[in-house]
Structures are given as structure tokens and as C-alpha cells.
Amino acid sequence: MKKIFTRSSVDPGAKENFLNETLFHNANGYIGVRGCLEEGVPNGTDTMRGIYINGFYDIIPMKQAEMLCNFVDKKETMLNIADTMTVNCVVDGEIFDILTGLVIKHTRTLDMEKGITKREVVWEAPSGKQIEITSVRMTSFEMLSLFSIEYTVKALNFEGDVRLISVHNPDVTNYSDPSDPRLAAESMRNLDVKDIYADGESSIAIAQARTSGLRVCSLVHHALTAHDGAAVRSNATEILGKQGVYTGNVHLGKGSSVTLEKLCLFSDSVRAREPAGRAVRELDTVLSNGLPYYYKKQEAYLKEFWSNCEMEIDGDDDMQNAVIFNMYELLQSAAKDSHASIAAKGLSGEGYEGHYFWDTETFILPFFTLTNPALSKMLLRYRYSTLDKARENAGLLGHKKGALFPWRTITGTECSGYFVSGSAAYHINADIAYAFVNYYITTGDLAFMREAGMEVLLETSRLWMDLGCYNENGDFVLNVVTGPDEYTCMVNNNYYTNVAAKYNLCWTLKIHRLLREAGLLGDLDEHLGITDEELAGFGRAAEAMLLPYDEHLGINPQDDSFLSKPVWDLAKTPKDHFPLLLHYHPLHLYRYQVCKQADTVLAYFMFENEQSRDVMIRSYEYYEKITTHDSSLSTCVFSIVASRLGLKEKAYAYFGDSAKLDLLNTHSNSMHGIHTANMGGCYMAIVNGFAGLRVTEEGISLAPSLPKDWNGYKFKFVYRGRLLKVAIDKEAVTITLLAGDDLTIRVFGKWVGLEGKREKRIQMEE
Ligand code: BGC
């Protein structure tokens, strides 16, 4: 099945257009370009006209009404860096605009095999002249700094003059919405244009962020090509104020057309000493290779990407398309160099200001670790590079040792203004540690644990030791923290945090032992100040870690005080009061048993061996009744755990909610950007949920089930240098080792040997 997502509408209303800007954005992990209409939108219509660079930011003041000790007083924010997508088309004096004249066709397509978006419009001007506009856009995976537009205009029923006016505007601001805490509250002008000049068919602009001092160069190069007898009359690039403006005048015969090729190159001082110099050099390379070369490379890159993570769902095209879309968006969002990571909204919009959260390690890295471990390694390396800042952050919060990773950040500095559900979410430390361990278990890359993993595990463990203490019963307790559920804050012994910290401590010991056994420890003990006594302390704390359990209900309470609170009446809550966070004061929410998202239930997925199935089932049913799923990180987890507990219908229902969250805009905020964590969660709901894949120290195991409306599904993944394919249908699960050494895995609890390219069929079980 072709990996194509298309939307057609002859009435591209304002609301739909705002959402389409997100869904049809182009990104390659370095730059992201919203899918805004080239000609702009009419005044008063909502639009977020943005182009972003991953990891490029300014620092803005964080206003705290009462500035208590060591509160965060400034934050990093991702900047809109330029508008290079604007093209206006004038047909014999009439300006193309979807709200005037008649839109006969308006189709947008995202081609996930070619790595391009396409917009096709047939428009009739008020005078009756009809044109066809086709715009093809790409952010190149081969040349990360390249964003291209090919804008073609064809005269359908007339002969006449067409003028194309293309704008390069580096003088831009960010989007803001004071009514939504998930967006910047004020419109910012944080970028000053330092210089803009024309050079032949190019305009080159240098701008500087006001406080961070970071510089960015945007360069736009134009070329006009006439087809089928059309004639270019004139063209020129000029600088008008702070904008570069290119004008091309063409005479079109009936049926003839003209293409404007716009090559936009971006460079920034995070990565280049002289951004302008680099952009000019890269333009030369692009010009000498030509755009068709980059289209070819784009396809080849994606062929390789899909070959490792092919996913097919037989019998449910809708879900198949949604899942493919989500995987593609993850690829678009993930940084491809070690200067950045994956923002909560990728590079598709300004929601959450381009910040990285636990979303990356907990929800997205599992996908890359199973399909593209080299990329995972780079993203982990990025986190590792921020360890010193995490040490500083721990110090600011009063810790004498260890490191605490920030709740939200770009460079590693804490950017959360509301510490209650920000800095207090200490679990992020264990989430990052978990991602390192998961990477190790899946790849066997012990050398990387020597290089980075051990230090991260050690410093996060030290923080648990500094934060925690032993209570009168000899339990190791973690007080005043916030777990994943942001409707319950600052509690003692959040089940998820405690069990994740226990895992963190245990794996610090294991990795240390593995390094010693492999003779890789070298001078690490000395270098990091590790002593036997300290390691023994980790072991004791892990063993004694308090994991809350309620005898009466037979469940794991979310924390020490959770069950003593009244239960929020969700049935009586007006429908328009969701998400609750936009309608109730946080303190009010904190006093009830009501969850924004999976918390204890998430722990059952990640640390399933800690509890019996009965406890997990009872807890699942308990939390299900009080969870609003107001966070997009929730339904995917409820789906995975439902699969694991054998609650098949629930697993499928929650999966459906997760798979289409952005396509159907079910959280009503996809206009501000995609929800990358949910997209990773959706992948896990199939692979770790339905297929029951577990990758542990003991190896791989699978226990697949088939959603009732599906005929089957297939996926691929990599494990310790091997490529495996799993195909599930009503009768059997078929596993093929496509590449790599022979392997024994467990399917439905029984050992199965896999040898080179031979399929193994195992009967499905109930
Ligand atoms: C969720 C967090 C998440 C953040 C960014 C919030 O709504 O509660 O868990 O990290 O969004 O996606």
C-alpha cells in the first residue's frame, strides 16, 4: 500500500487550514516548515506561519509573581526564524487567493515514500480565467539545511501574463495565545535582522536572537523555468526594507506553465561558526547537484527507513494509514545531529515552545531503538551532553550530589516555570536511565555504556540517594515528588517514581558489573568517584524501596495519600470542561482522585515484573475509571497494558484513540503541533501491546494477539545486529530472521530457534 496521506477540500475553511498547517508540515529533524499556504491566509484567520530550527532558541524572562529561592527566572524558547515560503501569483492583475474567485480543486498530499508534500489547486479568478497551481515542498534528509519549493502555474483556459512574487522575510515573530498555558503567552520579537542583501538570484539574511546571541542565516535562491511555449519576460531580486523580494513576469499561452524553484538554505551558529558562509557553500552544492538529485536521495533515504520499520495492517486501511503517518512524523521530528533532540511537537509548531520532555526517552526512543538504534544512540548522546547542567539543576534544588535532568528544556537548563508539575517530576531521571538501559539491552552496545550510560545511571542513582531516606519501618521512601499524572502533585512515594528509581538503581549496579566483567571499567571508578560502599548503598535502597500497596483494594495506590482523597465525579463533569486543566485551579484538582494520564498503569508496562497479574488488573480497572486522558500520553499506555492483561477490546479501543489523535484533532490542539509522544506510544501499542514483544536481558519474547477486525499485521525490528520480521494472522505467527546471526526467542512462552531467512510458523494461542 502506498504511503500517502491526502486531503481534498474545495472550501479550505480557516479552521481546517490551521490544522493542515501541522499535518502537512515538512521537517527533517533540523528544520521544520509549517504547511502554510504560500499566498498567506486572509486577515483575521488563524495561522502559525513558522519555520523552525531544532535547538535554535532565545532566552526570555520567566515572570514569577513571587520569586522564591532558586526559582527559574528565564527560559529557552524555540524561535520562528524566517518566512521563506511566501509566493504570490497575479493573473493579469488578479491576485490568487482562495477566498476570492472560485476554488475548483484543492488537494494536499503528503507522500511518505518520496518525502514531499504537494498542494494542487485549480482556481478560477473573478474574471473567469482558470489556473492550476502545483506546489511541491521538501525538507531534505540528504542536505538537512535545504527546504525547497517548486511552484508551478499553468494557464488552463486563457493566454495572458502571470506575475510571481516570492518573499523572503527574516523579520518574523512567534505565535502566542495567552489563554492556553501550552503556548507562549506573549507575541515575541526576539530576532533582530542584522543584514539582508541580494546576490544575483539569491537573498541572504542574517538575524540574531536578542538574548542568547545565537545567529541564523536564511538564504533563498530563485530560478524560473518556462514550459510549453511560455516566455519569461523579466525577473529580479531586490531588497525592500528587511525583506528580499523576487519578481518574475511570464507570458503564458493556453496550456503552458511556469515553475518557480525556490531553494531555501538555513544555517545557525549552534552548528556553524559562520552561518552565512555555510549557507552559501551549501547552496553551491545544491545548485551543482540540482534539485532532482535531492528528490532521488530523499526517496532512497526513506526506502531505507521503511525497510527497517515496515508496518502493515491487513483489513484496516484507516489504521494502517494512521500508523504510517505517525511513524513518518517521528522521523521528521527526530534531530539528525547531536545538537538537539525531539520536541514534544517535533518541528511542526510552537506548542510547548520546542521543549524536550520525558516524552523523548519514554515514548519515542523505544521506536527508534527497535528500528534505527544509531539514531537512538545519538539522541541519548545529546542527553548525556547535558549532564553537567543536570548536576547544576540538582544543586539548585538543594541536592548535594547527583544530577537531575530538567522537566522541559532545549539545552539542558530547566525551562519549566511551574515547578509543582515541572521540576518536581523527578521521574524524568529514571526515564532517561531506562532509555539508556533499553538501548543497551536491545543493541548489546556495552561500549556506549562505558562512554555515557554508566555516568548517567550513576548520577541519577546518586540523586535518588540524596532525595530519598529510610522511614521508621526501614523502607526507602521518596517524598514530595510529582509522578507522570499531572493532576496529582507533590506527593510521597508515587508508585511509578519509586519503581522506576528502583530499576534505575539496580541497573546502575548491573552495568557497573558488566563493564567490570568485560574489562571495560578502566579508570571509571576513580574518575567518577565510585566506591564499593556507594554501590552497596544503591543495592540496599533498591531492595528497600517502598512500593505502595493497599491491602483492602488489592491495588497499588498512586502514592501514599491518593486513596484518602475523594473521587472526582467524571460523569457529572460538563463535557466542555475538559481538559480539566483549562477549567479548574490546579489545587482543586490535586485534592481529588482524578488522573490526567496513565501513571501507575504506565509502571505496569515498563516494570511489569514487580506485581502479580491480579494486582495489575484490579489497579487497571481502578485507574481507568478516574483517568481523563487529558494528556495525549495516556490512551496509548492504556492500550499496551490492556493487551498485556488480555483485555483485548479495551486494547483496541484505546489504540484507535491514540492512532488518530492528530489526524482527527481529538485533543483540539493539533493546530499547534503534532503529539510526538503519542505517536511513539501508538507504535508501542502494536509492537509491545498487540504483538506482546518484550526485549529483556533474557532475550526476545512475543505473545501476539490479533485485534478482532484485522486479518493480520506485520512489522520489522532490529535486535543486536539482526533484522527480524513478524507476521501475525488468524492462524499463526510467522517469524523470519532477515539478517544476522541465528537466534532463539520465546513465542507464547516456548523457545523457538530462528535461522537465516527461514520462516518459523507458530500456531496462534487464545
Ligand atoms: C503531559 C506531560 C508531557 C507534556 C509534553 C503534558 O500535557 O502531562 O506528561 O510531558 O504534556 O508532551
Side-chain angles (χ1 to χ4, degrees):
M1 208 163 123
K2 283 250 159 254
K3 296 179 179 64
I4 281 186
F5 163 59
T6 301
R7 283 202 164 166
S8 287
S9 165
V10 288
D11 175 25
K15 225 171 152 192
E16 187 187 328
N17 184 53
F18 199 17
L19 175 63
N20 283 343
E21 290 183 0
T22 297
L23 299 181
F24 292 97
H25 82 285
N26 299 86
N28 57 15
Y30 175 55
I31 38 175
V33 182
R34 299 255 308 161
C36 307
L37 306 181
E38 284 82 8
E39 66 279 12
V41 291
N43 271 346
T45 316
D46 230 339
T47 180
M48 190 187 276
R49 204 169 180 80
I51 298 186
Y52 316 103
I53 287 184
N54 201 355
F56 186 85
Y57 63 94
D58 198 20
I59 299 167
I60 57 170
M62 173 94 79
K63 285 185 202 141
Q64 297 277 4
E66 295 181 37
M67 188 63 204
L68 296 184
C69 178
N70 289 350
F71 267 24
V72 171
D73 60 357
K74 48 187 172 313
K75 64 175 170 180
E76 297 154 352
T77 191
M78 177 177 82
L79 292 187
N80 178 14
I81 49 165
D83 174 4
T84 68
M85 58 183 130
T86 296
V87 181
N88 278 294
C89 172
V90 187
V91 182
D92 277 335
E94 292 176 292
I95 301 179
F96 163 60
D97 162 3
I98 50 170
L99 292 191
T100 56
L102 182 65
V103 177
I104 297 167
K105 172 183 174 185
H106 196 225
T107 302
R108 309 191 66 167
T109 306
L110 167 65
D111 186 325
M112 294 167 277
E113 284 166 11
K114 294 198 165 121
I116 53 164
T117 56
K118 194 180 208 182
R119 177 181 174 214
E120 293 161 286
V121 187
V122 175
W123 181 72
E124 186 176 281
S127 64
K129 289 178 186 140
Q130 288 181 0
I131 53 167
E132 181 188 76
I133 295 180
T134 311
S135 147
V136 176
R137 299 184 182 197
M138 172 176 73
T139 45
S140 167
F141 289 111
E142 169 74 11
M143 174 68 88
L144 292 174
S145 53
L146 172 66
F147 162 56
S148 61
I149 310 182
E150 276 193 293
Y151 188 94
T152 302
V153 185
K154 184 173 183 182
L156 295 180
N157 62 354
F158 71 100
E159 179 184 340
D161 291 330
V162 164
R163 170 177 294 186
L164 294 177
I165 306 158
S166 165
V167 179
H168 168 195
N169 179 14
D171 194 25
V172 290
T173 57
N174 276 59
Y175 182 86
S176 65
D177 181 352
S179 69
D180 191 330
R182 296 162 298 187
L183 287 159
E186 292 162 47
S187 172
M188 298 177 297
R189 176 162 295 279
N190 280 81
L191 209 53
D192 292 320
V193 179
K194 294 289 175 194
D195 195 11
I196 177 158
Y197 56 95
D199 182 3
E201 253 101 48
S202 302
S203 51
I204 300 161
I206 311 284
Q208 186 163 31
R210 285 196 177 163
T211 309
S212 69
L214 293 174
R215 282 163 300 125
V216 62
C217 172
S218 51
L219 183 164
V220 181
H221 178 273
H222 294 95
L224 208 53
T225 311
H227 315 281
D228 307 320
V232 175
R233 300 267 197 248
S234 66
N235 61 73
T237 306
E238 50 191 336
I239 303 299
L240 298 175
K242 290 180 183 169
Q243 300 188 353
V245 179
Y246 172 90
T247 311
N249 290 303
V250 190
H251 186 77
L252 295 183
K254 193 170 154 190
S256 73
S257 59
V258 61
T259 300
L260 174 67
E261 180 188 88
K262 218 173 161 178
L263 301 175
C264 313
L265 276 300
F266 299 93
S267 176
D268 68 272
S269 63
V270 175
R271 285 129 174 128
R273 204 171 294 189
E274 283 302 332
R278 180 183 284 193
V280 169
R281 276 195 306 280
E282 294 193 337
L283 174 69
D284 285 347
T285 310
V286 173
L287 287 174
S288 73
N289 288 328
L291 196 50
Y293 168 87
Y294 292 94
Y295 286 138
K296 255 200 221 139
K297 285 281 179 186
Q298 189 85 340
E299 242 181 294
Y301 182 93
L302 287 167
K303 202 166 170 202
E304 163 100 31
F305 168 71
W306 291 119
S307 74
N308 272 359
C309 67
E310 195 70 64
M311 171 83 73
E312 276 175 45
I313 298 174
D314 179 8
D316 196 338
D317 290 356
D318 245 23
M319 285 297 179
Q320 155 91 19
N321 288 333
V323 169
I324 292 293
F325 174 79
N326 289 346
M327 288 159 76
Y328 184 76
E329 296 300 301
L330 289 175
L331 179 71
Q332 292 211 101
S333 306
K336 306 292 178 309
D337 65 25
S338 55
H339 295 284
S341 182
I342 305 173
K345 305 279 174 192
L347 291 162
S348 67
E350 294 167 31
Y352 289 125
E353 300 178 63
H355 289 160
Y356 317 136
F357 293 71
W358 70 311
D359 304 35
T360 311
E361 282 80 6
T362 305
F363 290 81
I364 307 169
L365 282 199
F367 165 64
F368 286 120
T369 299
L370 275 180
T371 57
N372 189 344
L375 191 53
S376 264
K377 184 172 179 171
M378 208 179 57
L379 293 161
L380 288 170
R381 202 173 257 145
Y382 171 74
R383 249 330 166 182
Y384 175 64
S385 74
T386 67
L387 190 56
D388 276 340
K389 288 196 174 175
R391 289 186 178 104
E392 263 172 52
N393 187 41
L396 286 174
L397 297 191
H399 296 291
K400 306 241 161 6
K401 58 184 182 189
L404 178 62
F405 286 99
W407 179 239
R408 49 191 291 178
T409 189
I410 293 180
T411 67
T413 304
E414 178 63 274
C415 294
S416 164
Y418 184 55
F419 74 91
V420 179
S421 57
S423 311
Y426 277 69
H427 65 86
I428 190 166
N429 255 17
D431 304 325
I432 290 170
Y434 181 94
F436 273 92
V437 171
N438 189 39
Y439 170 81
Y440 164 68
I441 292 176
T442 313
T443 61
D445 185 354
L446 198 55
F448 184 57
M449 295 299 112
R450 170 66 173 85
E451 177 196 327
M454 184 65 220
E455 197 173 339
V456 168
L457 287 163
L458 177 75
E459 288 294 32
T460 47
S461 289
R462 283 179 172 160
L463 199 280
W464 297 124
M465 298 309 289
D466 195 72
L467 165 70
C469 60
Y470 287 91
N471 69 8
E472 63 285 4
N473 302 323
D475 301 316
F476 194 73
V477 296
L478 301 175
N479 291 335
V480 199
V481 300
T482 297
D485 164 32
E486 295 185 352
Y487 288 168
T488 311
C489 292
M490 314 278 283
V491 293
N492 295 347
N493 297 308
N494 166 254
Y495 178 85
Y496 176 89
T497 307
N498 285 24
V499 75
K502 177 178 174 182
Y503 186 87
N504 189 164
L505 290 162
C506 290
W507 269 96
T508 305
L509 300 180
K510 275 192 206 171
I511 294 288
H512 187 264
R513 199 194 64 228
L514 288 167
L515 289 174
R516 198 181 44 226
E517 286 169 3
L520 288 174
L521 214 44
D523 63 352
L524 209 59
D525 280 354
E526 211 176 80
H527 176 61
L528 299 175
I530 305 174
T531 62
D532 288 349
E533 197 192 335
E534 178 171 45
L535 294 177
F538 292 172
R540 276 195 302 277
E543 185 114 327
M545 187 70 74
L546 182 80
L547 300 181
Y549 177 72
D550 183 81
E551 295 285 348
H552 177 60
L553 294 172
I555 67 167
N556 296 117
Q558 198 168 288
D559 59 74
D560 281 357
S561 62
F562 192 74
L563 297 179
S564 64
K565 298 174 181 175
V567 172
W568 183 284
D569 194 341
L570 285 176
K572 288 217 179 100
T573 309
K575 285 216 160 19
D576 59 357
H577 280 199
F578 293 93
L580 301 182
L581 70 110
L582 296 185
H583 300 274
Y584 300 90
H585 192 285
L587 265 181
H588 185 68
L589 294 169
Y590 300 165
R591 295 201 180 101
Y592 284 87
Q593 288 188 51
V594 62
C595 305
K596 183 180 178 192
Q597 62 205 100
D599 189 303
T600 309
V601 171
L602 175 60
Y604 294 158
F605 164 44
M606 294 165 70
F607 315 104
E608 65 181 339
N609 294 331
E610 291 289 345
Q611 302 298 329
S612 70
R613 186 169 179 278
D614 286 352
V615 172
M616 292 197 273
I617 290 247
R618 281 193 296 269
S619 298
Y620 184 97
E621 282 168 354
Y622 189 89
Y623 290 109
E624 191 182 22
K625 292 194 190 87
I626 52 172
T627 303
T628 60
H629 308 292
D630 283 348
S631 157
S632 65
L633 283 61
S634 195
T635 51
C636 49
V637 177
F638 271 78
S639 172
I640 304 169
V641 178
S643 282
R644 293 196 161 191
L645 296 173
L647 311 169
K648 288 189 185 175
E649 289 195 2
K650 284 187 179 175
Y652 188 69
Y654 283 121
F655 166 72
D657 291 346
S658 158
K660 295 190 183 167
L661 193 144
D662 282 312
L663 291 176
L664 300 182
N665 190 18
T666 55
H667 278 235
S668 307
N669 64 357
S670 296
M671 304 81 75
H672 306 148
I674 53 170
H675 297 77
T676 54
N678 169 64
M679 290 170 159
C682 166
Y683 171 82
M684 291 192 281
I686 300 179
V687 171
N688 303 106
F690 299 143
L693 175 70
R694 289 156 169 85
V695 183
T696 67
E697 287 164 273
E698 282 80 46
I700 299 179
S701 64
L702 286 157
S705 69
L706 183 66
K708 106 172 152 353
D709 296 331
W710 295 5
N711 300 325
Y713 58 106
K714 291 182 193 156
F715 60 91
K716 288 183 189 166
F717 66 95
V718 294
Y719 172 72
R720 301 201 171 208
R722 302 169 180 88
L723 178 63
L724 289 98
K725 182 171 165 191
V726 180
I728 291 130
D729 60 29
K730 293 195 168 108
E731 277 82 46
V733 42
T734 308
I735 305 159
T736 321
L737 180 64
L738 296 174
D741 297 345
D742 295 355
L743 176 72
T744 307
I745 69 169
R746 252 185 304 180
V747 184
F748 297 119
K750 291 180 208 102
W751 290 102
V752 176
L754 300 175
E755 296 136 34
K757 300 218 166 126
R758 244 179 280 151
E759 291 185 348
K760 273 278 159 76
R761 266 174 81 78
I762 299 110
Q763 207 71 39
M764 283 292 273
E765 289 184 6
E766 260 314 290

